[in-house]
Amino acid sequence: MTTLYEGAFAKLNLTLDILGKREDGYHDLQSVMQTISIRDDVEIDVGTGKPWKLLCSDESIPTDESNLAWKAARVYCDTLEKDPEGLEIRITKRIPAGAGMGGGSADAAAVLRALNRHFGEPLSIMALAELGAQVGSDVPFCTLCGTAMVEGRGERLRKLPDMPDCIFVVCKPDFSVSTPELYRKMDQVAIAHHPDNRAMETALLAGDLEKVCQRVYNVFDPVVTQEHLELNYIKSICNSYGSMAQQMTGSGSAVFSILPKFEYAAVVCDMLKTNYPHIYIAKPV
């Protein structure tokens, strides 16, 4: 038996735009995504000689075949015709669920990377990301990691220059958002403002943190904030204590802020932690 270890890194959407609804019912997106240092830990025992099994430190997470990490292992082994001769996946959760931070996708991506390494890396990282599209929309990016432009349903990736050095504070309020329900709402409203992804890419190329922060925008944010005004409270606290940008990530409900120094991040956390226990400090990865 061999034990594999892999980090599963959370993601943030620096920008997120909806370009339109597709014939298959999904939506075409365009998003600049960033991995951050908040991570789950994934361990995989290969060659257990026993039926497949998944364990998770968070009891609210399903541990059957519906778990994306399990699906990723199945897609990898079936596609490449690899027999792991029994497999056990153990996930130590730190990425909050229902936050828009890609926790389940990150776990699935970690499984893909670990199995690919175990079997001698028959797939390049981009081919592995392409395989991840069969598991979930955020899995391709979570497989690649770093900073990237993500398009289509999430299957089209293009690496971008690294995020300039900064500190993220991420705050997850108590509520979560139904992603399918949010998309239905988006189909019924006119999107008043779209992110300028070309300008965001230019800012990243220049390594200009201030200009990057000026281009942070998520079209979901106003719709969710309209029903959950506490997001404005979180953002106002961040803004009052040195945040250069603050925005919801993904379909929510976590809000991230970008700060130039750790000292500012520590103050923001101190101001929010009484009302919001799920608060994190992170770096770009």
Side-chain angles (χ1 to χ4, degrees), residues 5-285:
Y5 302 92
E6 190 72 20
F9 293 92
K11 63 87 179 168
L12 298 176
N13 298 83
L14 300 179
T15 67
L16 203 169
D17 198 8
I18 299 175
L19 303 183
K21 193 169 183 179
R22 299 151 49 122
E23 290 184 4
D24 60 9
Y26 289 95
H27 292 74
D28 274 319
L29 305 178
Q30 189 176 56
S31 176
V32 176
M33 293 192 189
Q34 175 67 49
T35 43
I36 59 173
S37 55
I38 301 168
R39 57 179 270 183
D40 295 344
D41 286 326
V42 176
E43 297 179 28
I44 308 172
D45 288 340
V46 179
T48 62
K50 299 176 183 178
W52 285 28
K53 186 177 182 180
L54 190 147
L55 304 170
C56 184
S57 62
D58 184 340
E59 293 181 357
S60 70
I61 302 296
T63 55
D64 59 10
E65 295 180 19
S66 67
N67 188 292
L68 293 185
W70 186 308
K71 288 183 178 180
R74 177 58 67 196
V75 164
Y76 185 90
C77 292
D78 287 354
T79 302
L80 277 79
E81 298 181 344
K82 302 290 187 182
D83 183 2
E85 297 177 348
L87 190 135
E88 179 174 300
I89 302 169
R90 295 183 296 279
I91 302 171
T92 302
K93 289 297 292 182
R94 297 186 192 89
I95 304 170
M101 297 169 67
S105 298
D107 297 338
V111 168
L112 291 175
R113 288 194 301 269
L115 288 176
N116 197 52
R117 189 171 64 248
H118 174 70
F119 287 111
E121 298 189 339
L123 296 180
S124 68
I125 192 68
M126 294 305 286
L128 199 63
E130 188 176 330
L131 189 64
Q134 298 181 37
V135 182
S137 296
D138 285 336
V139 178
F141 171 74
C142 290
T143 303
L144 178 66
C145 293
T147 312
M149 182 72 76
V150 181
E151 297 180 279
R153 278 185 57 198
E155 78 282 2
R156 301 206 316 269
L157 305 174
R158 181 163 52 85
K159 282 287 280 182
L160 295 176
D162 292 341
M163 177 81 180
D165 190 41
C166 64
I167 302 289
F168 293 103
V169 170
V170 186
C171 180
K172 165 68 170 69
D174 286 338
F175 72 91
S176 294
V177 179
S178 165
T179 301
E181 186 178 321
L182 183 55
Y183 272 108
R184 282 194 291 273
K185 289 178 183 175
M186 297 302 295
D187 289 337
Q188 296 166 7
V189 300
I191 298 175
H193 179 69
H194 294 269
D196 188 338
N197 281 310
R198 183 171 292 180
M200 173 62 85
E201 189 168 347
T202 300
L204 287 166
L205 281 165
D208 189 326
L209 181 61
E210 185 174 347
K211 288 185 177 177
V212 167
C213 290
Q214 290 171 359
R215 299 303 177 185
V216 167
Y217 191 72
N218 177 353
V219 296
F220 286 132
D221 186 303
V223 177
V224 176
T225 301
Q226 192 171 14
E227 294 189 6
H228 299 278
L229 292 177
E230 66 179 302
L231 294 188
N232 276 337
Y233 169 75
I234 295 169
K235 290 178 214 167
S236 69
I237 293 293
C238 296
N239 188 52
S240 296
Y241 292 95
S243 173
M244 300 172 70
Q246 46 280 326
Q247 190 77 188
M248 191 182 77
T249 181
S251 56
S253 60
V255 171
F256 69 91
S257 66
I258 303 174
L259 301 113
K261 295 181 180 179
F262 177 83
E263 290 79 6
Y264 294 167
V267 173
V268 170
C269 284
D270 197 48
M271 297 303 297
L272 287 171
K273 67 182 181 183
T274 301
N275 293 324
Y276 300 101
H278 300 293
I279 189 160
Y280 311 82
I281 293 179
K283 294 278 287 179
V285 173

